[in-house]
Amino acid sequence: MGLFDKVTQTASNVGKNVMNSAVKLGSSATVAMQEQNELLQLKSQITVINQELDSFYVQIGRRYIDYVLETGDMPGIDASDLLKLMDPKMTKKKELEQQIIQLEKEIKNKSVLREKQMAEEEYLSEKEKLDKALAMDVISQNDYDVKLAIAKKKFDNFEEIRRVKQQAEMNLITHEEMLAKIKSLTE
């Protein structure tokens, strides 16, 4: 009866872990969507400001052409009234661009943290699975140590593995090179 109880307990724990991971993933996705919506709204505001600024640029150009046609002279023209109107919009645009940079940086940092948390959860899940397999005499202590060391190295080298994957995504290295580098980092 002891083996059946261990199997039942293992199945129950795995089910709970899957459910907890799904809940965490759902909440992470919601937060990420909210951040993306905020980013989209900021970019939309910049687009509106750019359109308004383009209108001012067109007006300045028209004034210049009208002046050149009237006088035949091509010196500077007075557009200070338009520049005064443009100044707050350009200031607002710069502020929005800074907010976008900050938000994108924040989103990236949160994404990295989520990835690291998922890597840690993978490691803990693998360790729990190996602990149970060892307790049930499904694997030997030597196999346990080897497999746990691989899982631990994978977690410990999370940042470097992430960088290698990004290099592959950017086509800086081939897929085969990526796999070789990841293998060297995990074994």
Side-chain angles (χ1 to χ4, degrees):
M1 192 69 175
L3 179 61
F4 182 72
D5 289 338
K6 286 182 182 180
V7 171
T8 303
Q9 183 64 30
T10 301
S12 174
N13 288 341
V14 169
K16 288 178 186 175
N17 288 341
V18 168
M19 189 171 77
N20 289 337
S21 294
V23 168
K24 288 178 186 175
L25 183 62
S27 64
S28 294
T30 301
V31 169
M33 253 171 67
Q34 289 171 345
E35 291 169 339
Q36 290 298 327
N37 283 339
E38 185 178 346
L39 185 63
L40 192 60
Q41 288 174 350
L42 290 173
K43 287 183 178 182
S44 170
Q45 288 178 19
I46 286 180
T47 300
V48 169
I49 289 173
N50 280 337
Q51 289 171 347
E52 292 171 351
L53 289 173
D54 286 344
S55 171
F56 287 123
Y57 295 141
V58 168
Q59 289 178 38
I60 290 171
R62 281 191 186 132
R63 284 187 186 178
Y64 185 76
I65 296 299
D66 289 344
Y67 181 81
V68 169
L69 291 176
E70 282 179 27
T71 64
D73 191 18
M74 294 183 89
I77 59 165
D78 184 27
S80 59
D81 59 331
L82 292 175
L83 293 175
K84 286 179 185 174
L85 291 172
M86 290 173 66
D87 186 50
K89 294 191 181 299
M90 293 177 85
T91 302
K92 179 69 175 175
K93 180 182 173 185
K94 286 180 184 175
E95 289 172 5
L96 290 172
E97 287 171 342
Q98 287 299 317
Q99 286 179 345
I100 286 174
I101 290 169
Q102 283 300 112
L103 186 58
E104 286 175 338
K105 188 176 182 181
E106 201 175 296
I107 288 171
K108 183 179 182 231
N109 288 340
K110 286 180 181 179
S111 176
V112 169
L113 286 175
R114 280 192 295 270
E115 287 177 26
K116 186 160 186 145
Q117 182 181 5
M118 287 174 55
E120 183 177 17
E121 287 175 7
E122 278 181 35
Y123 166 72
L124 292 174
S125 174
E126 183 69 16
K127 183 177 182 325
E128 184 178 327
K129 183 174 74 171
L130 290 170
D131 288 344
K132 289 177 183 172
L134 181 64
M136 294 171 58
D137 291 326
V138 174
I139 61 173
S140 68
Q141 182 67 43
N142 189 38
D143 288 343
Y144 171 86
D145 292 339
V146 169
K147 290 181 184 287
L148 186 61
I150 290 172
K152 180 72 172 149
K153 280 183 92 174
K154 185 176 179 182
F155 174 66
D156 290 344
N157 292 324
F158 166 78
E159 291 290 331
E160 189 60 33
I161 291 170
R162 197 174 141 276
R163 262 192 291 280
V164 168
K165 287 179 180 177
Q166 286 177 335
Q167 290 172 1
E169 288 172 5
M170 295 174 70
N171 293 324
L172 299 174
I173 60 174
T174 65
H175 184 72
E176 292 76 23
E177 289 174 313
M178 177 193 76
L179 294 176
K181 285 183 177 186
I182 289 174
K183 185 175 180 179
S184 72
L185 289 169
T186 57
E187 292 181 357

